[in-house]
Amino acid sequence: MTDFTYYAPTEVVFGKNSEEKIGKLVRKYGGTKVLVHYGGQSAVRSGLLDKVCAQLEAEGIAYVKLGGVVPNPRVSLVRKGIELCRKEGVDFLLAVGGGSVIDSMKAISIGVPYEGDVWDFYTRKAFNTECLPTSCVLTIPAAGSEMSNGSVITNDEGNIKKDYCIDEFRCKFAIMNPERTFTLPAYQTACGVTDMMMHTMERYFSHEDDMEITSAISEAVLRTAKQQAFVALSNPEDYEARTQLMWTGSLAHNDLTGCGTSGDWATHMIEHELSGMFDVSHGAGLAAVWGSWARYVYKLRPTRFARYAVNVMDVPVDFRDPEATALAGIEATERFFHAIGMPVSIPELIGRPATEEEMQKMAQMCTDGDTHTVGVFKELTSADVLEIYRAANR
Amino acid sequence: MTDFTYYAPTEVVFGKNSEEKIGKLVRKYGGTKVLVHYGGQSAVRSGLLDKVCAQLEAEGIAYVKLGGVVPNPRVSLVRKGIELCRKEGVDFLLAVGGGSVIDSMKAISIGVPYEGDVWDFYTRKAFNTECLPTSCVLTIPAAGSEMSNGSVITNDEGNIKKDYCIDEFRCKFAIMNPERTFTLPAYQTACGVTDMMMHTMERYFSHEDDMEITSAISEAVLRTAKQQAFVALSNPEDYEARTQLMWTGSLAHNDLTGCGTSGDWATHMIEHELSGMFDVSHGAGLAAVWGSWARYVYKLRPTRFARYAVNVMDVPVDFRDPEATALAGIEATERFFHAIGMPVSIPELIGRPATEEEMQKMAQMCTDGDTHTVGVFKELTSADVLEIYRAANR
């Protein structure tokens, strides 16, 4: 294992009616004028937005609202949010929604005190840690952004998707009420399950630097997500299953599952180009390419894939052949993705095969014109990435 | 499951040479004059204390030292520490040691700004949250105090052991270098393993409010502690095993294993009287009474004990009889305790049977003269506690 730092300071307030604590929490963490940031109409229709605002009013805290965040959140709206915060003297941010809304909020939080354009952080032209304090009311378990240090934003000009990660992005508090996820459509529930599993798997398939307690916890996270997905899909209002998925999504991405390991993250990089180019759901994009990535790399360390197959996917051990066990685990994962309604190829994802030109463009963008590799388990060049897109295109 | 709050803000810096970051971390968290608090001579002999002080000096941070913390740390030394901090204008505390040193530091941290006697907090005569910021360099994985909200102190007058728990006690940072645990004697290593397992088991054996992800993670923690104990005992300088035990000890008591469950904690309460009266190691005391507690209560929920038996203790399922599976799991746990050199009875713990009078006194103290019950899984009266002491006295 490698040395590590673990820092997950977010105060999680979990359960029914947890929203009722919002006012006091904003006060506790020093907010006096809040930007309430949200997505589409579902937060309005469900009454959640009104409830949040009523809590702020009850505590005598002023606020302004900014909605309209879309999946793969756009830098154009972030810029609007920054202007609004400056004009209104906002000193505290509250996201009401899922990963896209939270990521958009984080981008606003660092843009407000910065003189240049906020996109500079995402292109590594600028590096700052000064930002407004952030918080959230989570409604979609998936991205794990409620406890993570990351923000992923899409630039409308050119559909480029980039991330920026600093500890200062971590929310002061996160309100999580599983009831808020009862109305999530099946497809979005499945995308969320895939995303949280992939956050764990990206860390699980690492170099030779396994850490046993981290591996064991990761397997617990993966098994739980897998089991509870079927329960939540067959009964969307099963509070217990929604609870497991909601908390599992946070644990999958608050760094707990990465303590002491190098991680990989190639699948995420390969997927970002897909959702950047085709505006598909991140979770579905991950499911569409993971199997192709896994088959491309598993021979580097078949025992790790075999352990995953047995401990997560309930594949029987083939004692004479770890490679066969590994492959059976990859196949079982794809069967699982299909069973929850996820694609396991690009044609299943976008409704047609990608063209060779599209795949070449994505492979180039993924590696910034072949200037760097992606992934750690195997360091992939743009040629490797192209092979993986091709394999996923069948 | 029940609603919960999860708050574990401690910045963990883990690995070889992590001590080299002490100066910068104290600075980051605002310390300008530090109390370096430690135990006996081992921190001196190993050179760790000198290394810590050199790091502070390199950063230009003033400090005073106070050693002499003993296992079951005494309120008398805490009072000395409070006086010293006031006299020297200390504004930041750094514990170098294990749970006893950290708990003693936490008591000092809340005593400094309080006008009355610090013992008031432990007897519930006073309630405050104002305290100096705390931090630690951990050298004994066991108590989990490096990330927990608790402090357990013994009053020299009457050997009364009491706890006080507030979020403000949580360390700002915790430095963990597994190499520092290479020299731990086998007995202390085994006590530590028992303590971390019991921190998890106290939360695992709860009312009917299980939470699947928490159960699965708890089982991962327990299995890892169990496996790695044998490795560390047979090769005390196995860095990998020491790493697993050190991080597992923190995860066992930073509330992760209790999210959404009510927990029990009867075994801890029953043990506190033993270590209060006989000044034995807390971990050994837990091992000495857990089996007797478990046999006294398991019939209330045999399926939970059966799950533990199968998922943690590798007991084969007796499909016709969950009670038999449960009992086999309790026996396997006691065999495990024996295998790592822990007692499983009071005579094994203190070298003689306790007298009936001693047991009656402990049962009374444990329930504050029968004014309250202990435990949640089963609410135990002083008569129940006495039965458990008697069963453990055979």
Side-chain angles (χ1 to χ4, degrees), chain A residues 132-354:
Chain A
L132 296 183
T134 58
S135 63
C136 68
V137 179
L138 186 67
T139 60
I140 305 176
S145 191
E146 64 277 8
M147 289 187 84
S148 85
N149 68 345
S151 162
V152 180
I153 297 292
T154 297
N155 194 322
D156 324 39
E157 297 155 22
N159 286 340
I160 307 163
K161 201 169 169 179
K162 296 276 179 195
D163 67 345
Y164 187 62
C165 302
I166 49 169
D167 271 335
E168 288 74 6
F169 271 167
R170 294 187 195 271
C171 289
K172 297 294 177 197
F173 66 83
I175 300 279
M176 303 192 204
N177 177 357
E179 290 176 326
R180 295 290 166 190
T181 68
F182 285 177
T183 53
L184 270 183
Y187 187 77
Q188 223 171 339
T189 298
C191 284
V193 167
T194 305
D195 199 12
M196 64 184 79
M197 289 180 71
M198 281 304 310
H199 284 155
T200 309
M201 288 153 75
E202 293 276 23
R203 294 171 167 104
Y204 184 89
F205 293 104
S206 66
H207 259 318
E208 301 283 337
D209 58 351
D210 305 332
M211 177 148 158
E212 180 51 39
I213 180 65
T214 300
S215 297
I217 286 175
S218 298
E219 289 157 2
V221 164
L222 289 167
R223 282 196 312 272
T224 303
K226 193 169 72 98
Q227 289 157 5
Q228 302 294 325
F230 293 114
V231 185
L233 287 171
S234 62
N235 179 10
E237 302 205 358
D238 186 306
Y239 185 77
E240 177 139 352
R242 292 293 192 180
T243 293
Q244 306 315 314
L245 292 182
M246 195 165 216
W247 186 223
T248 297
S250 299
L251 295 177
H253 204 38
N254 76 353
D255 294 345
L256 177 69
T257 59
C259 289
T261 78
S262 50
D264 183 65
W265 299 99
T267 308
H268 263 72
M269 296 299 110
I270 293 168
E271 192 290 320
H272 278 180
E273 301 310 325
L274 279 171
S275 50
M277 182 173 286
F278 302 109
D279 202 21
V280 292
S281 279
H282 174 56
L286 292 167
V289 294
W290 182 78
S292 298
W293 169 83
R295 281 191 194 84
Y296 196 78
V297 305
Y298 80 98
K299 284 191 181 171
L300 285 178
R301 223 184 141 201
T303 52
R304 188 64 174 168
F305 278 87
R307 176 175 170 160
Y308 163 82
V310 174
N311 288 358
V312 177
M313 286 292 152
D314 298 321
V315 166
V317 186
D318 184 334
F319 286 97
R320 291 168 307 179
D321 191 352
E323 287 199 8
T325 313
L327 269 178
I330 296 168
E331 282 158 22
T333 306
E334 292 188 324
R335 277 199 303 278
F336 166 76
F337 285 149
H338 266 167
I340 62 169
M342 286 287 99
V344 300
S345 72
I346 294 174
E348 287 181 8
L349 176 70
I350 64 170
R352 63 165 174 86

Side-chain angles (χ1 to χ4, degrees), chain B residues 254-312:
Chain B
N254 76 353
D255 295 342
L256 177 69
T257 59
C259 288
T261 78
S262 50
D264 182 65
W265 298 100
T267 307
H268 263 72
M269 296 301 109
I270 293 168
E271 192 290 319
H272 278 180
E273 300 310 325
L274 279 170
S275 52
M277 183 173 285
F278 302 109
D279 203 20
V280 292
S281 280
H282 174 57
L286 292 169
V289 295
W290 182 79
S292 297
W293 169 82
R295 280 190 194 86
Y296 196 76
V297 304
Y298 79 98
K299 285 192 179 172
L300 285 177
R301 221 182 143 204
T303 53
R304 187 66 174 168
F305 278 87
R307 176 175 170 160
Y308 163 84
V310 173
N311 288 0
V312 178

